[in-house]
């Protein structure tokens, strides 16, 4: 030190297993010729010393879950809790128990200060795991396909469908369908629910080829493509629907009876894979459409 320390500094040192063998010593190391002098020391036994402990009801949680903090210190002491910047709430006072959740995944710290003197710190009191993201599924005919390979559970009318845990599921009855994804940390996320009706329409990929041909070109494209029809004995107009990979309808329209070529221009589409469905009253055709800018 190059200047005097004019104020008292208090250091609390817990001494376990008290006995007559304790010694207190001070070691000073002078560098560059400087001397060290301690001219006043007071040692006081703290009869009120406490060793605060921090308890949690679980040490691993998911992002939406809540953890509960408690301590061995009673309400006769003044307690201040600091749960960290990403905690909600960030701090609290009193014995608790205190319920906390977190705004981001990762290792989370806690600090408990008793009577503004005794401190308990733990840098990794709990591990917070992230949730599955972008949980959704596509719908093509009666077939539902999850955007996750694993961890799927399909639901019908708020009930899990028995053995429906594969990436794809073919619906067998009308109702509200949704998907629950569970990641390796046992954290879950739920897709939007959609009311679906079982369709008994045959796939036109087989039916239509007996009568003629449907072509989509160019494919890939930039969002401007043509449906070319070479169908024999077509007696009605066709409807087309374009879906993105999540199953959301992007655009729809009609191919009139007199049209053999239908040009379709999309409004500023994003790059990716789309599903084009062309149908009439008794059959439909499905094609994968790729948009590249």
């Amino acid at each position: 030190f190059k200047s005097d320390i004019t104020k008292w500094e208090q250091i609390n040192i817990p001494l376990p297993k008290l006995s007559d063998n304790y010694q207190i010593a001070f070691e000073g190391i002078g560098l560059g010729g400087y001397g060290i002098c301690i001219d006043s020391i007071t040692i006081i036994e703290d009869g009120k010393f406490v060793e605060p402990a921090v308890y949690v009801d679980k040490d691993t949680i998911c992002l939406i879950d809540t953890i509960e903090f408690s301590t061995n210190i009673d309400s006769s002491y003044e307690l201040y809790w600091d749960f960290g910047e990403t905690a909600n709430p960030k701090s609290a006072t009193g014995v608790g128990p205190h319920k906390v959740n977190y705004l981001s995944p990762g290792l989370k710290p806690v600090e408990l200060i008793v009577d503004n003197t005794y401190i308990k710190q733990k840098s990794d009191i709990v591990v917070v795991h992230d949730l599955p993201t972008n949980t959704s599924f596509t719908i093509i005919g009666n077939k539902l396909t999850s955007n996750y390979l694993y961890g799927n559970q399909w639901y019908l009318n708020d009930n899990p469908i028995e053995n429906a845990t594969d990436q794809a599921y073919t619906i067998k009855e009308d109702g509200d369908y949704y998907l629950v994804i569970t990641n390796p940390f046992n954290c879950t996320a739920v897709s939007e629910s959609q009311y679906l009706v079982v369709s008994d329409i045959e796939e036109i990929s087989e039916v239509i080829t007996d009568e003629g041909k449907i072509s989509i070109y160019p494919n890939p494209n930039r969002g401007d493509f043509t449906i070319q029809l070479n169908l024999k004995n077509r007696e009605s107009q066709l409807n087309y629907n374009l879906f993105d990979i999540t199953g959301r309808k992007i655009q729809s329209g009609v191919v009139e009876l007199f049209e053999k070529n239908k040009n379709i221009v999309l409004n500023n589409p994003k790059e990716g894979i789309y599903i084009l469905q062309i149908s009439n009253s008794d059959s439909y055709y499905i094609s994968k459409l790729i948009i590249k800018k």
Side-chain angles (χ1 to χ4, degrees):
F1 298 96
K2 294 184 178 181
S3 59
D4 292 342
I5 299 175
T6 58
K7 295 182 179 180
W8 283 98
E9 179 180 351
Q10 178 176 306
I11 300 174
N12 295 286
I13 304 174
L15 304 178
K17 298 181 182 179
L18 291 175
S19 73
D20 295 334
N21 296 324
Y22 275 112
Q23 295 184 0
I24 298 175
F26 296 88
E27 180 180 17
I29 300 176
L31 300 176
Y34 289 98
I36 296 175
C37 178
I38 298 177
D39 61 4
S40 183
I41 298 169
T42 301
I43 299 175
I44 303 172
E45 179 183 357
D46 184 358
K48 296 182 178 180
F49 178 81
V50 294
E51 177 69 20
V54 174
Y55 307 119
V56 290
D57 61 339
K58 44 188 173 288
D59 56 13
T60 302
I61 62 172
C62 300
L63 199 56
I64 60 173
D65 293 337
T66 298
I67 186 172
E68 191 171 274
F69 288 90
S70 58
T71 181
N72 62 327
I73 307 301
D74 62 40
S75 58
S76 63
Y77 295 87
E78 180 183 342
L79 303 179
Y80 175 80
W81 298 81
D82 184 348
F83 303 116
E85 284 298 315
T86 64
N88 178 35
K90 294 181 180 180
S91 61
T93 58
V95 174
H98 299 287
K99 293 183 178 181
V100 177
N101 54 49
Y102 294 92
L103 305 177
S104 65
L107 286 171
K108 303 301 177 181
V110 66
E111 180 179 76
L112 174 60
I113 303 175
V114 180
D115 284 349
N116 203 31
T117 301
Y118 313 107
I119 300 174
K120 180 68 174 182
Q121 292 177 317
K122 195 167 180 64
S123 61
D124 55 355
I125 190 74
V126 62
V127 180
V128 181
H129 292 296
D130 209 348
L131 304 175
T133 58
N134 301 321
T135 304
S136 62
F137 58 92
T138 57
I139 308 166
I140 301 177
N142 295 327
K143 185 177 181 181
L144 314 181
T145 304
S146 166
N147 62 336
Y148 277 79
L149 287 174
Y150 307 105
N152 299 282
Q153 175 61 65
W154 297 95
Y155 278 71
L156 170 61
N157 299 329
D158 292 329
N159 296 309
I161 303 172
E162 187 176 358
N163 298 323
T165 56
D166 293 332
Q167 185 181 16
Y169 177 74
T170 301
I171 66 173
K172 300 175 178 61
E173 58 182 289
D174 302 348
D176 286 303
Y177 287 85
Y178 63 88
L179 177 66
V180 174
I181 299 294
T182 304
N183 67 15
F185 306 110
N186 208 35
C187 300
T188 61
V190 183
S191 73
E192 291 185 0
S193 177
Q194 297 196 52
Y195 186 83
L196 303 176
V197 177
V198 176
S199 171
D200 57 0
I201 299 174
E202 298 179 64
E203 288 198 24
I204 206 167
S205 56
E206 295 181 0
V207 175
I208 205 98
T209 50
D210 293 335
E211 301 176 353
K213 186 178 181 182
I214 293 179
S215 299
I216 310 298
Y217 69 91
N219 192 14
N221 60 76
R222 296 176 179 269
D224 185 342
F225 62 93
T226 298
I227 301 174
Q228 185 181 64
L229 304 170
N230 184 19
L231 305 177
K232 298 176 181 179
N233 303 319
R234 182 157 71 100
E235 297 179 353
S236 63
Q237 68 180 23
L238 297 174
N239 300 306
Y240 74 85
N241 293 288
L242 185 68
F243 302 89
D244 66 15
I245 198 65
T246 69
R248 183 170 60 94
K249 186 184 291 186
I250 302 300
Q251 189 167 315
S252 62
V254 173
V255 183
E256 298 291 353
L257 186 60
F258 60 84
E259 291 181 298
K260 291 188 176 181
N261 295 284
K262 178 73 172 183
N263 182 248
I264 298 175
V265 179
L266 304 179
N267 183 21
N268 194 28
K270 296 180 180 179
E271 286 192 345
I273 298 174
Y274 294 77
I275 303 298
L276 178 65
Q277 183 187 70
I278 303 170
S279 63
N280 57 21
S281 60
D282 57 8
S283 57
Y284 64 81
Y285 166 84
I286 294 170
S287 175
K288 183 183 295 183
L289 188 72
I290 300 175
I291 294 179
K292 289 186 177 181
K293 297 297 184 70

